[in-house]
Amino acid sequence: MGHITESSWVPSVTLRVGVGTPDVAALLLGADGRVRGDADMVFAGQPVHPSGAVRHSGTSLALALHEVEPEVERIVIAGAAGGGHLAAMAPDRAVVVAYLIGNPEGGEAVVFGEFYRESGGWKFTGIGKGYTAGLAALVTDYGVEVAEEEPAAGPSAPGLVKQPAAGAAEQPAPGLAQRPAAAGPLPLAGVAKGPAGNGAADGDGGHPAPSGTAKDGPAAPDGGGRNGKGGWAASVAGRMQGWVSGGGDRTADDGGGPGAFGPDFKPFTAKGEGDSVVTAGPQVPAGPVLLEVTHQGSDSYIGVHALGEDNKDAGSSLFSSQLADFTGSTVTEAPEGRPLRLRVAAYNAWTVRVRPVSAARRLRGTLKGYGPEALLYTGGPADLTVDFKGNEENGGYVSLWTHPITDGGVLSPSPTLSLSKPGRQLATVPLPDGPLLLLFSADGKWSLTVRELGL
């Protein structure tokens, strides 16, 4: 039995995913439904994907859906069958997926469900398929080559792997064990792999190395009970808030593909912790660019300023927020003749990503989000309803700047301040004919609904 709608949208943010047991793994699949190599399996013994977008931490997985490589179409969540449930939490601690699998047919391992791409966003669907032959049979179905296990003196770990023979130098962590450094099949026995090394990663348009300085986000609820009355799985459904983000199509055939809203280029990513200066790579050309920022921590602050030719703050801040587990995007101009440089002031671990403006979400129907976001609207005259519930103290602030896009100019010299109010808001504002860049900001969760007038 599941407590989600089939094929439910989930927000394209960093989700904390738990299944009530530390024996949980993620399999990153291509369009053919198979892993590209052993590195596409993330588990306790191999805790960080090379892209940094998927991590195993303690008893849960962190899936940064907005950072997953475009070649990855699906992320399968699997593990020991004892958990009986799956839950995913957004950075604001909203439970966006709660799925109960009951008692799957099969004994030792189970596919709980999968996250998959659709229309530029992400959806989740529950599966609940059990494997009597254990995790080795499960991962083999998705293209992982599993080496035969060596006989072990001790008993096997519950439902997953065998322990090494007595007298081994180190004992494995519960769950799967290390992928060897050399090429070859993935063994299900051996010494667990350690965490990634320290140091920030400066992206070159490819996939940045994971930063060992990053701290864990909000933990998934502990598995206080299995799938039964009074257990964790029963209580999580009652805590669901029904907040599931709209997809936000980024690839629709609306004349807004790559290059339509400024230059097209290979994305740039940088990661770090605390105060720093980021210099965008040479692939970022002059012109309007989409700037995406994440920042971890509940008691935190993040501020981002563009640096001018004199290496001082240029204009007002691009971001300045105390939101917990902050995620935000905006549009700024990369300068001509010199690289885009940004001053970051932050308490904790952060990620800065520079992408083409065309990568921003399209505003269609209803979109939901958290914090500031740059959106593209390509429809006709419309009414836009803004639903902002306020922050934890029912305060906060909401604003909307509307930039008409004309003659290739994305950031209008004369934008319209369509909304600027403190506190909880349920307001409707008019939108002119698109294309438009909307720079929306709210101190928490929000919902936007657009209704074209047909004029």
Short mmCIF file of all heavy atoms in Angstrom, two decimals, residues 290-357:
data_model
loop_
_atom_site.label_atom_id
_atom_site.label_comp_id
_atom_site.label_asym_id
_atom_site.label_seq_id
_atom_site.Cartn_x
_atom_site.Cartn_y
_atom_site.Cartn_z
N LEU A 290 21.97 32.20 -15.70
CA LEU A 290 21.20 31.73 -14.56
C LEU A 290 22.17 31.34 -13.45
O LEU A 290 23.05 30.52 -13.66
CB LEU A 290 20.34 30.54 -14.96
CG LEU A 290 19.46 29.90 -13.86
CD1 LEU A 290 18.35 30.86 -13.44
CD2 LEU A 290 18.88 28.57 -14.34
N LEU A 291 21.99 31.93 -12.26
CA LEU A 291 22.84 31.65 -11.11
C LEU A 291 22.03 30.88 -10.09
O LEU A 291 21.01 31.37 -9.58
CB LEU A 291 23.36 32.95 -10.51
CG LEU A 291 24.25 32.83 -9.27
CD1 LEU A 291 25.54 32.10 -9.61
CD2 LEU A 291 24.54 34.20 -8.68
N GLU A 292 22.46 29.66 -9.77
CA GLU A 292 21.79 28.80 -8.80
C GLU A 292 22.70 28.58 -7.60
O GLU A 292 23.89 28.29 -7.76
CB GLU A 292 21.42 27.45 -9.43
CG GLU A 292 20.48 27.58 -10.61
CD GLU A 292 20.28 26.26 -11.34
OE1 GLU A 292 21.22 25.43 -11.36
OE2 GLU A 292 19.19 26.07 -11.90
N VAL A 293 22.14 28.70 -6.40
CA VAL A 293 22.94 28.60 -5.17
C VAL A 293 22.20 27.71 -4.18
O VAL A 293 20.98 27.81 -4.02
CB VAL A 293 23.18 29.99 -4.55
CG1 VAL A 293 23.83 29.87 -3.18
CG2 VAL A 293 24.05 30.84 -5.47
N THR A 294 22.94 26.82 -3.51
CA THR A 294 22.41 26.07 -2.38
C THR A 294 23.32 26.29 -1.19
O THR A 294 24.52 26.55 -1.34
CB THR A 294 22.32 24.57 -2.68
OG1 THR A 294 23.64 24.04 -2.85
CG2 THR A 294 21.51 24.30 -3.94
N HIS A 295 22.76 26.19 0.01
CA HIS A 295 23.53 26.39 1.25
C HIS A 295 22.93 25.51 2.33
O HIS A 295 21.71 25.50 2.53
CB HIS A 295 23.47 27.86 1.67
CG HIS A 295 24.26 28.16 2.92
ND1 HIS A 295 23.68 28.69 4.04
CD2 HIS A 295 25.57 27.99 3.21
CE1 HIS A 295 24.61 28.86 4.98
NE2 HIS A 295 25.76 28.43 4.50
N GLN A 296 23.76 24.76 3.03
CA GLN A 296 23.28 23.79 4.00
C GLN A 296 23.26 24.38 5.40
O GLN A 296 24.06 25.25 5.74
CB GLN A 296 24.18 22.54 3.99
CG GLN A 296 24.19 21.82 2.67
CD GLN A 296 25.05 20.57 2.71
OE1 GLN A 296 25.49 20.15 3.77
NE2 GLN A 296 25.30 19.98 1.56
N GLY A 297 22.33 23.87 6.21
CA GLY A 297 22.29 24.26 7.62
C GLY A 297 20.99 24.91 8.01
O GLY A 297 20.34 25.60 7.22
N SER A 298 20.56 24.70 9.27
CA SER A 298 19.31 25.27 9.77
C SER A 298 19.53 26.63 10.42
O SER A 298 18.67 27.49 10.35
CB SER A 298 18.67 24.30 10.76
OG SER A 298 19.56 24.01 11.82
N ASP A 299 20.66 26.83 11.08
CA ASP A 299 21.01 28.12 11.66
C ASP A 299 22.10 28.71 10.78
O ASP A 299 23.29 28.53 11.03
CB ASP A 299 21.50 27.93 13.11
CG ASP A 299 21.84 29.27 13.77
OD1 ASP A 299 21.42 30.30 13.23
OD2 ASP A 299 22.53 29.26 14.81
N SER A 300 21.70 29.46 9.75
CA SER A 300 22.67 29.77 8.71
C SER A 300 22.38 31.11 8.04
O SER A 300 21.32 31.70 8.21
CB SER A 300 22.67 28.67 7.65
OG SER A 300 21.39 28.58 7.05
N TYR A 301 23.37 31.55 7.27
CA TYR A 301 23.22 32.75 6.43
C TYR A 301 24.06 32.54 5.18
O TYR A 301 25.16 31.98 5.22
CB TYR A 301 23.70 34.00 7.16
CG TYR A 301 23.82 35.19 6.24
CD1 TYR A 301 22.69 35.93 5.88
CD2 TYR A 301 25.05 35.56 5.69
CE1 TYR A 301 22.80 37.01 5.00
CE2 TYR A 301 25.16 36.63 4.82
CZ TYR A 301 24.02 37.35 4.47
OH TYR A 301 24.12 38.41 3.59
N ILE A 302 23.52 33.00 4.04
CA ILE A 302 24.27 33.01 2.79
C ILE A 302 24.03 34.33 2.08
O ILE A 302 22.91 34.81 2.01
CB ILE A 302 23.88 31.83 1.86
CG1 ILE A 302 24.64 31.92 0.54
CG2 ILE A 302 22.41 31.79 1.59
CD1 ILE A 302 25.64 30.90 0.31
N GLY A 303 25.10 34.93 1.62
CA GLY A 303 25.02 36.14 0.82
C GLY A 303 25.94 36.01 -0.38
O GLY A 303 27.04 35.47 -0.27
N VAL A 304 25.48 36.47 -1.54
CA VAL A 304 26.28 36.39 -2.76
C VAL A 304 26.23 37.75 -3.45
O VAL A 304 25.16 38.30 -3.69
CB VAL A 304 25.76 35.30 -3.72
CG1 VAL A 304 26.60 35.26 -4.99
CG2 VAL A 304 25.77 33.93 -3.04
N HIS A 305 27.42 38.29 -3.77
CA HIS A 305 27.55 39.56 -4.49
C HIS A 305 28.38 39.34 -5.75
O HIS A 305 29.36 38.59 -5.74
CB HIS A 305 28.26 40.62 -3.63
CG HIS A 305 27.39 41.23 -2.59
ND1 HIS A 305 27.11 40.61 -1.39
CD2 HIS A 305 26.74 42.44 -2.56
CE1 HIS A 305 26.34 41.40 -0.66
NE2 HIS A 305 26.10 42.50 -1.35
N ALA A 306 28.00 40.01 -6.82
CA ALA A 306 28.85 40.05 -8.01
C ALA A 306 29.94 41.09 -7.78
O ALA A 306 29.71 42.14 -7.18
CB ALA A 306 28.03 40.41 -9.24
N LEU A 307 31.16 40.78 -8.22
CA LEU A 307 32.28 41.69 -8.08
C LEU A 307 32.48 42.47 -9.38
O LEU A 307 32.43 41.91 -10.47
CB LEU A 307 33.55 40.93 -7.73
CG LEU A 307 33.56 40.23 -6.36
CD1 LEU A 307 34.83 39.42 -6.19
CD2 LEU A 307 33.41 41.25 -5.24
N GLY A 308 32.70 43.78 -9.24
CA GLY A 308 32.89 44.64 -10.40
C GLY A 308 34.32 44.64 -10.89
O GLY A 308 35.18 43.89 -10.41
N GLU A 309 34.58 45.50 -11.85
CA GLU A 309 35.90 45.58 -12.46
C GLU A 309 36.96 45.99 -11.45
O GLU A 309 38.14 45.64 -11.58
CB GLU A 309 35.86 46.56 -13.63
CG GLU A 309 37.05 46.48 -14.56
CD GLU A 309 36.83 47.30 -15.82
OE1 GLU A 309 35.82 48.04 -15.88
OE2 GLU A 309 37.66 47.19 -16.74
N ASP A 310 36.53 46.71 -10.40
CA ASP A 310 37.47 47.13 -9.36
C ASP A 310 37.60 46.10 -8.24
O ASP A 310 38.21 46.36 -7.21
CB ASP A 310 37.02 48.48 -8.77
CG ASP A 310 35.60 48.43 -8.21
OD1 ASP A 310 34.96 47.35 -8.30
OD2 ASP A 310 35.13 49.47 -7.71
N ASN A 311 37.00 44.93 -8.44
CA ASN A 311 37.04 43.83 -7.48
C ASN A 311 36.32 44.18 -6.18
O ASN A 311 36.64 43.65 -5.11
CB ASN A 311 38.47 43.38 -7.18
CG ASN A 311 38.55 41.89 -6.86
OD1 ASN A 311 37.79 41.10 -7.40
ND2 ASN A 311 39.49 41.51 -6.01
N LYS A 312 35.32 45.05 -6.29
CA LYS A 312 34.45 45.39 -5.16
C LYS A 312 33.03 44.96 -5.50
O LYS A 312 32.69 44.74 -6.66
CB LYS A 312 34.49 46.89 -4.87
CG LYS A 312 35.84 47.42 -4.43
CD LYS A 312 35.77 48.91 -4.16
CE LYS A 312 37.11 49.46 -3.71
NZ LYS A 312 37.05 50.94 -3.48
N ASP A 313 32.18 44.86 -4.45
CA ASP A 313 30.79 44.50 -4.67
C ASP A 313 30.15 45.45 -5.67
O ASP A 313 30.24 46.69 -5.53
CB ASP A 313 30.01 44.55 -3.37
CG ASP A 313 30.41 43.43 -2.41
OD1 ASP A 313 31.18 42.55 -2.83
OD2 ASP A 313 29.94 43.43 -1.26
N ALA A 314 29.50 44.89 -6.67
CA ALA A 314 28.84 45.68 -7.71
C ALA A 314 27.33 45.59 -7.52
O ALA A 314 26.73 44.52 -7.66
CB ALA A 314 29.22 45.17 -9.10
N GLY A 315 26.71 46.72 -7.19
CA GLY A 315 25.26 46.75 -7.03
C GLY A 315 24.80 46.03 -5.78
O GLY A 315 25.57 45.73 -4.86
N SER A 316 23.50 45.71 -5.75
CA SER A 316 22.91 45.04 -4.59
C SER A 316 23.25 43.56 -4.61
O SER A 316 23.71 43.01 -5.62
CB SER A 316 21.39 45.24 -4.58
OG SER A 316 20.82 44.74 -5.77
N SER A 317 23.01 42.90 -3.48
CA SER A 317 23.34 41.48 -3.38
C SER A 317 22.44 40.65 -4.28
O SER A 317 21.26 40.97 -4.49
CB SER A 317 23.21 41.00 -1.93
OG SER A 317 21.86 41.12 -1.49
N LEU A 318 22.99 39.58 -4.82
CA LEU A 318 22.21 38.64 -5.61
C LEU A 318 21.39 37.72 -4.72
O LEU A 318 20.28 37.32 -5.06
CB LEU A 318 23.14 37.82 -6.52
CG LEU A 318 23.95 38.65 -7.52
CD1 LEU A 318 24.98 37.77 -8.22
CD2 LEU A 318 23.03 39.29 -8.55
N PHE A 319 21.96 37.35 -3.57
CA PHE A 319 21.25 36.57 -2.56
C PHE A 319 21.65 37.08 -1.20
O PHE A 319 22.82 37.43 -0.97
CB PHE A 319 21.60 35.08 -2.65
CG PHE A 319 21.21 34.41 -3.94
CD1 PHE A 319 22.17 34.14 -4.90
CD2 PHE A 319 19.90 34.05 -4.18
CE1 PHE A 319 21.82 33.53 -6.08
CE2 PHE A 319 19.54 33.44 -5.37
CZ PHE A 319 20.50 33.18 -6.32
N SER A 320 20.70 37.09 -0.28
CA SER A 320 20.97 37.41 1.12
C SER A 320 19.85 36.77 1.92
O SER A 320 18.72 37.25 1.95
CB SER A 320 21.00 38.92 1.36
OG SER A 320 21.26 39.20 2.73
N SER A 321 20.14 35.63 2.55
CA SER A 321 19.06 34.84 3.14
C SER A 321 19.52 34.09 4.38
O SER A 321 20.67 33.66 4.47
CB SER A 321 18.53 33.84 2.11
OG SER A 321 17.51 33.02 2.67
N GLN A 322 18.59 33.93 5.31
CA GLN A 322 18.79 33.09 6.48
C GLN A 322 17.91 31.85 6.43
O GLN A 322 17.74 31.16 7.44
CB GLN A 322 18.50 33.89 7.76
CG GLN A 322 19.50 35.00 8.03
CD GLN A 322 19.18 35.78 9.29
OE1 GLN A 322 18.08 36.29 9.45
NE2 GLN A 322 20.15 35.86 10.18
N LEU A 323 17.36 31.53 5.26
CA LEU A 323 16.52 30.34 5.12
C LEU A 323 17.33 29.08 5.43
O LEU A 323 18.47 28.94 5.00
CB LEU A 323 15.96 30.23 3.71
CG LEU A 323 14.74 31.08 3.35
CD1 LEU A 323 14.36 30.86 1.90
CD2 LEU A 323 13.57 30.76 4.26
N ALA A 324 16.72 28.16 6.15
CA ALA A 324 17.36 26.87 6.41
C ALA A 324 17.49 26.09 5.12
O ALA A 324 16.58 26.08 4.28
CB ALA A 324 16.53 26.08 7.42
N ASP A 325 18.65 25.43 4.94
CA ASP A 325 18.90 24.62 3.74
C ASP A 325 18.46 25.37 2.49
O ASP A 325 17.61 24.92 1.72
CB ASP A 325 18.20 23.28 3.86
CG ASP A 325 18.76 22.45 5.01
OD1 ASP A 325 19.98 22.22 5.01
OD2 ASP A 325 17.99 22.07 5.89
N PHE A 326 19.07 26.50 2.30
CA PHE A 326 18.69 27.46 1.26
C PHE A 326 18.90 26.89 -0.14
O PHE A 326 19.91 26.24 -0.44
CB PHE A 326 19.54 28.72 1.42
CG PHE A 326 19.36 29.73 0.32
CD1 PHE A 326 18.29 30.61 0.35
CD2 PHE A 326 20.25 29.80 -0.74
CE1 PHE A 326 18.13 31.55 -0.66
CE2 PHE A 326 20.10 30.73 -1.75
CZ PHE A 326 19.03 31.61 -1.70
N THR A 327 17.94 27.14 -1.01
CA THR A 327 18.09 26.92 -2.45
C THR A 327 17.53 28.15 -3.15
O THR A 327 16.48 28.67 -2.76
CB THR A 327 17.33 25.68 -2.95
OG1 THR A 327 15.92 25.86 -2.75
CG2 THR A 327 17.78 24.43 -2.21
N GLY A 328 18.21 28.64 -4.16
CA GLY A 328 17.72 29.82 -4.86
C GLY A 328 18.34 29.97 -6.22
O GLY A 328 19.41 29.42 -6.51
N SER A 329 17.66 30.73 -7.07
CA SER A 329 18.20 31.05 -8.39
C SER A 329 17.81 32.47 -8.76
O SER A 329 16.80 33.00 -8.30
CB SER A 329 17.70 30.05 -9.45
OG SER A 329 16.32 30.21 -9.69
N THR A 330 18.63 33.08 -9.61
CA THR A 330 18.35 34.41 -10.13
C THR A 330 19.08 34.53 -11.46
O THR A 330 19.79 33.61 -11.88
CB THR A 330 18.78 35.51 -9.15
OG1 THR A 330 18.29 36.78 -9.61
CG2 THR A 330 20.30 35.60 -9.03
N VAL A 331 18.93 35.67 -12.12
CA VAL A 331 19.63 35.93 -13.38
C VAL A 331 20.50 37.16 -13.19
O VAL A 331 20.06 38.17 -12.62
CB VAL A 331 18.64 36.14 -14.54
CG1 VAL A 331 19.37 36.61 -15.80
CG2 VAL A 331 17.89 34.85 -14.82
N THR A 332 21.74 37.06 -13.64
CA THR A 332 22.66 38.19 -13.58
C THR A 332 23.42 38.27 -14.90
O THR A 332 23.35 37.36 -15.72
CB THR A 332 23.63 38.04 -12.39
OG1 THR A 332 24.38 39.24 -12.24
CG2 THR A 332 24.57 36.87 -12.59
N GLU A 333 24.14 39.36 -15.11
CA GLU A 333 24.90 39.56 -16.34
C GLU A 333 26.36 39.18 -16.11
O GLU A 333 27.02 39.72 -15.22
CB GLU A 333 24.83 41.03 -16.79
CG GLU A 333 23.49 41.45 -17.35
CD GLU A 333 23.32 41.06 -18.82
OE1 GLU A 333 24.33 40.70 -19.46
OE2 GLU A 333 22.18 41.13 -19.32
N ALA A 334 26.86 38.25 -16.90
CA ALA A 334 28.29 37.99 -16.91
C ALA A 334 28.97 39.08 -17.71
O ALA A 334 28.51 39.43 -18.81
CB ALA A 334 28.58 36.62 -17.51
N PRO A 335 30.05 39.68 -17.21
CA PRO A 335 30.64 40.85 -17.86
C PRO A 335 31.37 40.51 -19.15
O PRO A 335 31.77 39.37 -19.39
CB PRO A 335 31.61 41.39 -16.80
CG PRO A 335 31.98 40.19 -16.00
CD PRO A 335 30.76 39.32 -15.97
N GLU A 336 31.57 41.52 -19.97
CA GLU A 336 32.32 41.39 -21.22
C GLU A 336 33.80 41.60 -20.92
O GLU A 336 34.19 42.50 -20.19
CB GLU A 336 31.84 42.44 -22.22
CG GLU A 336 32.47 42.33 -23.59
CD GLU A 336 31.85 41.25 -24.44
OE1 GLU A 336 30.62 41.11 -24.43
OE2 GLU A 336 32.63 40.53 -25.09
N GLY A 337 34.64 40.74 -21.49
CA GLY A 337 36.08 40.93 -21.40
C GLY A 337 36.75 40.47 -20.13
O GLY A 337 37.97 40.61 -19.99
N ARG A 338 36.01 39.94 -19.18
CA ARG A 338 36.59 39.43 -17.94
C ARG A 338 35.64 38.38 -17.37
O ARG A 338 34.45 38.36 -17.70
CB ARG A 338 36.82 40.55 -16.91
CG ARG A 338 35.57 41.31 -16.52
CD ARG A 338 35.88 42.45 -15.57
NE ARG A 338 34.70 43.23 -15.25
CZ ARG A 338 33.87 42.93 -14.25
NH1 ARG A 338 34.11 41.89 -13.47
NH2 ARG A 338 32.82 43.70 -14.01
N PRO A 339 36.12 37.49 -16.51
CA PRO A 339 35.26 36.43 -15.98
C PRO A 339 34.26 36.96 -14.95
O PRO A 339 34.50 37.97 -14.29
CB PRO A 339 36.25 35.45 -15.34
CG PRO A 339 37.44 36.29 -15.01
CD PRO A 339 37.52 37.34 -16.08
N LEU A 340 33.16 36.27 -14.84
CA LEU A 340 32.20 36.53 -13.78
C LEU A 340 32.81 36.10 -12.45
O LEU A 340 33.24 34.96 -12.29
CB LEU A 340 30.90 35.75 -14.04
CG LEU A 340 29.84 35.79 -12.94
CD1 LEU A 340 29.28 37.21 -12.78
CD2 LEU A 340 28.72 34.80 -13.23
N ARG A 341 32.87 37.04 -11.50
CA ARG A 341 33.41 36.76 -10.17
C ARG A 341 32.36 37.06 -9.12
O ARG A 341 31.67 38.08 -9.19
CB ARG A 341 34.69 37.56 -9.90
CG ARG A 341 35.91 36.98 -10.64
CD ARG A 341 37.13 37.89 -10.57
NE ARG A 341 37.47 38.36 -9.24
CZ ARG A 341 38.15 37.64 -8.33
NH1 ARG A 341 38.54 36.41 -8.62
NH2 ARG A 341 38.46 38.16 -7.16
N LEU A 342 32.25 36.16 -8.14
CA LEU A 342 31.23 36.26 -7.11
C LEU A 342 31.86 36.16 -5.73
O LEU A 342 32.73 35.31 -5.49
CB LEU A 342 30.19 35.13 -7.27
CG LEU A 342 29.50 35.03 -8.62
CD1 LEU A 342 28.77 33.70 -8.74
CD2 LEU A 342 28.53 36.19 -8.83
N ARG A 343 31.43 37.03 -4.82
CA ARG A 343 31.86 36.93 -3.42
C ARG A 343 30.77 36.21 -2.64
O ARG A 343 29.62 36.64 -2.62
CB ARG A 343 32.09 38.32 -2.83
CG ARG A 343 32.56 38.27 -1.37
CD ARG A 343 32.86 39.65 -0.82
NE ARG A 343 31.68 40.49 -0.73
CZ ARG A 343 30.84 40.48 0.31
NH1 ARG A 343 31.04 39.65 1.33
NH2 ARG A 343 29.81 41.30 0.32
N VAL A 344 31.15 35.11 -2.00
CA VAL A 344 30.20 34.31 -1.22
C VAL A 344 30.50 34.50 0.26
O VAL A 344 31.64 34.33 0.70
CB VAL A 344 30.31 32.81 -1.59
CG1 VAL A 344 29.34 31.97 -0.75
CG2 VAL A 344 30.05 32.60 -3.08
N ALA A 345 29.48 34.88 1.02
CA ALA A 345 29.59 34.95 2.48
C ALA A 345 28.62 33.92 3.05
O ALA A 345 27.41 34.03 2.84
CB ALA A 345 29.23 36.36 2.98
N ALA A 346 29.14 32.91 3.72
CA ALA A 346 28.28 31.81 4.15
C ALA A 346 28.79 31.20 5.45
O ALA A 346 29.98 31.28 5.76
CB ALA A 346 28.22 30.73 3.06
N TYR A 347 27.88 30.59 6.20
CA TYR A 347 28.26 29.91 7.43
C TYR A 347 28.73 28.48 7.15
O TYR A 347 29.62 27.98 7.81
CB TYR A 347 27.06 29.82 8.38
CG TYR A 347 26.63 31.12 9.01
CD1 TYR A 347 25.51 31.18 9.83
CD2 TYR A 347 27.32 32.30 8.80
CE1 TYR A 347 25.10 32.35 10.43
CE2 TYR A 347 26.92 33.49 9.38
CZ TYR A 347 25.80 33.51 10.20
OH TYR A 347 25.40 34.67 10.78
N ASN A 348 28.10 27.82 6.16
CA ASN A 348 28.27 26.38 6.00
C ASN A 348 28.63 26.03 4.55
O ASN A 348 29.07 26.90 3.79
CB ASN A 348 26.98 25.66 6.42
CG ASN A 348 26.57 26.01 7.84
OD1 ASN A 348 27.39 25.98 8.76
ND2 ASN A 348 25.31 26.38 8.02
N ALA A 349 28.43 24.78 4.18
CA ALA A 349 28.75 24.30 2.84
C ALA A 349 27.77 24.85 1.82
O ALA A 349 26.57 24.95 2.07
CB ALA A 349 28.73 22.77 2.81
N TRP A 350 28.29 25.21 0.65
CA TRP A 350 27.46 25.81 -0.40
C TRP A 350 27.87 25.27 -1.77
O TRP A 350 28.95 24.73 -1.95
CB TRP A 350 27.59 27.34 -0.39
CG TRP A 350 29.00 27.86 -0.35
CD1 TRP A 350 29.67 28.28 0.76
CD2 TRP A 350 29.93 27.99 -1.44
NE1 TRP A 350 30.96 28.66 0.44
CE2 TRP A 350 31.15 28.49 -0.90
CE3 TRP A 350 29.86 27.74 -2.81
CZ2 TRP A 350 32.26 28.74 -1.70
CZ3 TRP A 350 30.98 27.97 -3.60
CH2 TRP A 350 32.16 28.48 -3.05
N THR A 351 26.96 25.47 -2.72
CA THR A 351 27.22 25.16 -4.12
C THR A 351 26.77 26.33 -4.97
O THR A 351 25.67 26.88 -4.74
CB THR A 351 26.45 23.90 -4.57
OG1 THR A 351 26.87 22.79 -3.79
CG2 THR A 351 26.71 23.59 -6.04
N VAL A 352 27.58 26.74 -5.92
CA VAL A 352 27.24 27.80 -6.88
C VAL A 352 27.28 27.18 -8.27
O VAL A 352 28.27 26.52 -8.63
CB VAL A 352 28.23 28.98 -6.80
CG1 VAL A 352 28.01 29.94 -7.97
CG2 VAL A 352 28.06 29.71 -5.47
N ARG A 353 26.23 27.39 -9.03
CA ARG A 353 26.18 26.85 -10.38
C ARG A 353 25.74 27.94 -11.34
O ARG A 353 24.78 28.65 -11.07
CB ARG A 353 25.22 25.66 -10.47
CG ARG A 353 25.37 24.85 -11.77
CD ARG A 353 24.51 23.61 -11.74
NE ARG A 353 24.82 22.73 -12.83
CZ ARG A 353 24.11 21.66 -13.16
NH1 ARG A 353 23.03 21.37 -12.46
NH2 ARG A 353 24.46 20.89 -14.17
N VAL A 354 26.43 28.06 -12.47
CA VAL A 354 26.10 29.04 -13.51
C VAL A 354 25.65 28.26 -14.75
O VAL A 354 26.39 27.41 -15.25
CB VAL A 354 27.30 29.94 -13.85
CG1 VAL A 354 26.89 31.01 -14.87
CG2 VAL A 354 27.86 30.60 -12.58
N ARG A 355 24.45 28.57 -15.24
CA ARG A 355 23.85 27.84 -16.36
C ARG A 355 23.22 28.83 -17.33
O ARG A 355 22.98 30.00 -16.99
CB ARG A 355 22.79 26.86 -15.86
CG ARG A 355 23.26 25.89 -14.81
CD ARG A 355 22.13 25.07 -14.25
NE ARG A 355 21.60 24.13 -15.21
CZ ARG A 355 20.45 23.46 -15.05
NH1 ARG A 355 19.70 23.69 -13.99
NH2 ARG A 355 20.05 22.60 -15.95
N PRO A 356 22.88 28.39 -18.54
CA PRO A 356 22.13 29.26 -19.46
C PRO A 356 20.76 29.62 -18.87
O PRO A 356 20.15 28.81 -18.15
CB PRO A 356 21.98 28.40 -20.72
CG PRO A 356 23.08 27.40 -20.64
CD PRO A 356 23.27 27.12 -19.19
N VAL A 357 20.27 30.81 -19.18
CA VAL A 357 18.97 31.23 -18.67
C VAL A 357 17.87 30.29 -19.14
O VAL A 357 16.87 30.07 -18.45
CB VAL A 357 18.68 32.69 -19.11
CG1 VAL A 357 17.28 33.12 -18.68
CG2 VAL A 357 19.72 33.64 -18.51
#
